[in-house]
Amino acid sequence: MQTPVEKLTPYDEFNFEVPEHEFPKSGVSARAAAAIVISDEWTDTNPMLNMSSFVTTFAEPEAAETARRNIFKNYIDHDMYPQLFAMETRMVRWLHQLWHGPKGVEVYGTATVGSSEACMLAGLAHKWNWRQKREREGKDGSRPNLVTGGNVQIVWKKFMRYFDVEPRIVPLKPGNYRLTAEHLERYVDENTIAVVAIAGQTFTGEDDDIQEIHDWLDAYEKRTGISIPMHIDGASGGFVNPFLYPDYKWDFRLPRVQSINASGHKYGLTPPGLGWVVFRERKIFNEDLVFYVNYLGGEMPTATLNFSRNGFQIAVQYYQFLRLGFDGYKRVMQHTLNNAITLRKKLVDSGYFTIMNETQRIPVVAVTLDSKIKNFNEFDVSNKVREKGWVLSAYSMPPAAEKVMSLRVVVRPHINHNVACLLGNDIVSACQYLEKHGGSAKPPELHAHADEKTSPAKC
Ligand SMILES: *Cc1c(COP(=O)(O)O)cnc(C)c1O
């Protein structure tokens, strides 16, 4: 039984039993509530040590202050917060230019909750464009498919299932973890709404072979008359490629690339809750997906999946773009990549690991244990370094490379050289320990029941 809160002494307030299944009856003091929340948080990972995530965990005090000032602004209230909206549309134009969109076109794009929402919007635009074209030609528009690689992020699988698009996923194979033009002819046809290629994939940090896919689709069009657009999932690469590889054509410089998404909250350096989708030009974002709302006498287009959401991320992204500029992002990405290279070298030099990503673009270190190591695996290494607080991802690769296990470290800008060395040493020491004592971790079963981990604490 819960003790009625009004019977609690101020001292007991801090120690009352938090109900697990019923709504709390009456309140406690602000201090007690805060104390309970804080102590509940204690055993959560320190986000700074979470090296399995791409999401930004650092903000300068001025950025944090910008977030705090804007925390109560509802993004969708453009009439109340026209300047927040102006920042967003200005940044969409900046990104269109950064990603080499054509000049002289009407630019269209939007801020989203993350790349997931951005990918869904782009996918919908391509689905609508494809269907209308089919209908205009008097052809069947009921069986859309989307082609992408087995290295695709989960959002695309969600998009295809939620919006009834047939998945055509080109499997990986051991040693090749990216989408190339090889075998594409078995996957694309007149019902393909788009080919999604990734810039900075989650498993190895590599880019799909964007140029080769593009050229293959050009030749396919010549051969068949079927023109298939490309979408670039630049969730991570969208904020790395422009700064580190200015001559590399992964973006709107390739004419077939019609839309690009990126996560502001990954290498865009904004706290969680911000993505971007930018279209080559306004008409790619199908007009039927746009709703018009009257604001301040003008008509504003709105076309996001979400309505209300926090607006502070937009203000912080604006702060970051102004604060760093192109030069600043370039500097930050370069030091981050250098630290990834340092860590990767340390792991390879130890003799325990081989690298998985021959081409290094975003600062991700993806390694697999050397085949001579038999008595422990990547999951053991991940568990062992967890003792020091580090969180590293260990996983089996997607089909048909599922025999390959991987250990992945996402190097983010807050990791300096010293910390990269410390982490490298901790990983190598974990291997030395495991080599002596053996490991016991089993890779988790596919589709394992997630509820084991999330069941409430029982006393
Ligand atoms: C992270 C990621 C996503 C999903 O983006 P969110 O910002 O987490 O919603 C999609 N695609 C790729 C390649 C990603 O890395």
Side-chain angles (χ1 to χ4, degrees):
M1 266 308 275
Q2 257 182 275
T3 315
V5 173
E6 66 273 17
K7 302 242 171 70
L8 297 176
T9 65
Y11 175 79
D12 286 338
E13 269 200 338
F14 290 87
N15 200 31
F16 94 104
E17 201 178 321
V18 176
E20 215 52 74
H21 299 291
E22 313 148 30
F23 198 85
K25 274 203 183 56
S26 41
V28 291
S29 67
R31 197 170 278 181
I36 291 166
V37 175
I38 290 167
S39 53
D40 275 3
E41 289 167 13
W42 280 341
T43 51
D44 274 357
T45 300
N46 172 353
M48 294 296 187
L49 299 180
N50 179 4
M51 307 308 288
S52 74
S53 171
F54 287 88
V55 172
T56 297
T57 52
F58 171 78
E60 290 178 314
E62 291 81 356
E65 185 53 29
T66 302
R68 202 195 56 75
R69 271 198 319 275
N70 285 276
I71 196 170
F72 294 114
K73 290 190 188 169
N74 183 3
Y75 159 78
I76 204 72
D77 278 345
H78 298 326
D79 53 346
M80 301 296 151
Y81 313 115
Q83 288 308 314
L84 195 68
F85 185 56
M87 291 176 202
E88 180 197 352
T89 48
R90 193 173 296 143
M91 286 190 286
V92 165
R93 289 194 297 273
W94 289 352
L95 290 173
H96 185 264
Q97 182 264 330
L98 184 71
W99 296 335
H100 300 93
K103 294 201 174 74
V105 298
E106 190 185 348
V107 174
Y108 185 77
T110 182
T112 56
V113 176
S115 274
S116 301
E117 187 187 7
C119 294
M120 302 253 180
L121 289 172
L124 286 170
H126 295 300
K127 183 179 174 184
W128 253 245
N129 290 343
W130 168 83
R131 192 170 51 206
Q132 288 177 352
K133 182 163 178 288
R134 297 284 291 176
E135 282 164 2
R136 273 199 309 276
E137 294 167 349
K139 292 177 180 156
D140 175 25
S142 67
R143 290 181 300 126
N145 68 61
L146 185 130
V147 174
T148 186
N151 53 352
V152 80
Q153 211 267 357
I154 191 81
V155 60
W156 289 104
K157 295 184 182 171
K158 286 189 186 175
F159 166 75
M160 293 184 272
R161 189 176 300 171
Y162 296 174
F163 293 105
D164 269 329
V165 173
E166 180 196 334
R168 298 235 176 130
I169 299 178
V170 183
L172 308 180
K173 59 185 179 199
N176 175 41
Y177 310 111
R178 55 196 209 125
L179 182 68
T180 65
E182 198 191 358
H183 308 316
L184 268 188
E185 77 278 0
R186 289 193 224 148
Y187 293 86
V188 302
D189 60 24
E190 59 182 359
N191 293 323
T192 303
I193 64 170
V195 173
V196 173
I198 309 165
Q201 60 144 305
T202 52
F203 295 99
T204 63
E206 294 168 294
D207 282 17
D208 287 338
D209 200 335
I210 295 171
Q211 179 81 54
E212 186 188 82
I213 295 164
H214 184 271
D215 296 348
W216 189 91
L217 288 170
D218 276 356
Y220 179 77
E221 179 173 1
K222 276 215 183 82
R223 211 163 61 236
T224 62
I226 300 167
S227 178
I228 299 172
M230 287 176 78
H231 171 85
I232 303 298
D233 181 348
S236 294
F239 284 111
V240 177
N241 288 345
F243 306 111
L244 289 186
Y245 319 106
D247 297 328
Y248 162 53
K249 296 194 178 81
W250 63 280
D251 54 10
F252 292 125
R253 277 169 287 186
L254 302 175
R256 210 165 275 281
V257 173
Q258 306 277 303
S259 48
I260 299 176
N261 70 275
S263 293
H265 55 214
K266 291 184 178 173
Y267 290 107
L269 309 182
T270 299
L274 189 69
W276 295 99
V277 61
V278 176
F279 294 88
R280 181 177 198 85
E281 54 179 308
R282 173 67 190 266
K283 66 172 191 252
I284 309 292
F285 190 71
N286 195 288
E287 197 53 34
D288 285 359
L289 295 169
V290 184
F291 289 78
Y292 288 88
V293 194
N294 272 322
Y295 292 116
L296 295 175
E299 279 214 307
M300 295 251 189
T302 161
T304 48
L305 297 180
N306 251 81
F307 194 68
S308 299
R309 59 154 294 181
N310 210 308
F312 84 79
Q313 294 92 341
I314 290 166
V316 176
Q317 181 81 89
Y318 191 58
Y319 168 89
Q320 290 289 36
F321 285 176
L322 293 173
R323 165 87 173 101
L324 292 170
F326 187 95
D327 291 348
Y329 271 93
K330 184 175 165 174
R331 201 169 55 241
V332 170
M333 294 311 145
Q334 191 62 61
H335 93 234
T336 309
L337 184 67
N338 292 348
N339 289 332
I341 290 167
T342 300
L343 176 64
R344 169 179 153 120
K345 184 166 181 320
K346 178 140 205 114
L347 298 185
V348 171
D349 288 353
S350 75
Y352 289 110
F353 296 101
T354 36
I355 45 174
M356 296 179 70
N357 44 349
E358 287 303 330
T359 55
Q360 169 89 58
R361 290 218 181 263
I362 60 171
V364 163
V365 179
V367 289
T368 186
L369 278 170
D370 197 275
S371 56
K372 68 175 186 293
I373 291 161
K374 303 286 182 215
N375 68 335
F376 65 99
N377 64 28
E378 288 78 356
F379 294 86
D380 292 310
V381 180
S382 165
N383 287 345
K384 188 71 191 161
V385 293
R386 190 78 166 87
E387 290 172 8
K388 299 268 186 184
W390 301 111
V391 180
L392 313 184
S393 307
Y395 46 77
S396 349
M397 292 296 286
E402 56 274 78
K403 288 227 166 68
V404 180
M405 288 197 270
S406 161
L407 189 70
R408 187 196 68 187
V409 184
V410 180
V411 179
R412 296 198 307 280
H414 73 287
I415 297 293
N416 62 29
H417 183 81
N418 203 22
V419 176
C421 294
L422 181 66
L423 172 59
N425 287 337
D426 285 343
I427 296 173
V428 174
S429 308
C431 292
Q432 285 162 346
Y433 177 92
L434 288 162
E435 194 173 28
K436 234 195 225 145
H437 301 278
S440 58
K442 287 205 183 70
E445 299 278 326
L446 287 178
H447 311 296
H449 293 291
D451 41 31
E452 284 167 31
K453 259 186 129 173
T454 53
S455 57
K458 287 197 191 75
C459 288

